[in-house]
Amino acid sequence: QVQVVESGGGLVQAGGSLRLSCAVSGRTFSSYAMGWFRQAPGKEREFVAAIGWSGLGTYYANSVKGRFTISRDNAKNTVYLQMSSLKREDTAVYYCATSHTYGSMKVTDFGSWGQGTQVTVSS
């Protein structure tokens, strides 16, 4: 069974940066596309970014394009989300998830999820 554990969240001022990490157990990590989602209070979970198996392909939500960068290290079974120029509206719980489908932004196309890590951006 795949286990996903996010870390790196915290409190940051608007305009600041933060890097999230997501560790995935198991020997099949390099066979998964990986995605980051977020969920703010009272809102639905929304897509943030995703990366393909090799790390060469990435895609982003328009709201974070140019500010966030997703990357992965298959030797460490870890995917990262570097967040810069943070805004108050980026405040949310951030989740990492696995997928066998590259190119999707749908929650239902992602299988194993972590417990999430809180990111709070203050003004």
Side-chain angles (χ1 to χ4, degrees):
Q1 185 177 356
V2 175
Q3 290 188 320
V4 177
V5 179
E6 303 95 337
S7 61
L11 175 64
V12 62
Q13 287 191 329
S17 298
L18 207 58
R19 189 177 82 154
L20 306 183
S21 298
C22 171
V24 180
S25 66
R27 287 183 277 181
T28 58
F29 175 73
S30 60
S31 70
Y32 293 116
M34 295 296 301
W36 285 98
F37 288 75
R38 66 187 181 188
Q39 188 166 16
K43 295 188 176 182
E44 293 187 352
R45 193 167 297 189
E46 65 174 6
F47 172 80
V48 174
I51 188 167
W53 302 268
S54 67
L56 296 179
T58 60
Y59 53 103
Y60 300 88
N62 287 336
S63 59
V64 306
K65 203 172 292 184
R67 300 188 299 121
F68 290 12
T69 302
I70 188 171
S71 61
R72 67 189 294 162
D73 185 339
N74 286 346
K76 296 182 178 179
N77 279 23
T78 302
V79 62
Y80 305 97
L81 185 68
Q82 178 68 48
M83 305 185 295
S84 303
S85 302
L86 282 162
K87 307 174 182 180
R88 286 193 65 185
E89 51 264 43
D90 294 319
T91 295
V93 177
Y94 282 71
Y95 298 90
C96 178
T98 65
S99 179
H100 291 293
T101 304
Y102 176 73
S104 174
M105 299 182 184
K106 296 167 57 177
V107 170
T108 51
D109 282 334
F110 288 78
S112 298
W113 293 79
Q115 81 291 344
T117 186
Q118 176 72 47
V119 172
T120 303
V121 183
S122 64
S123 58

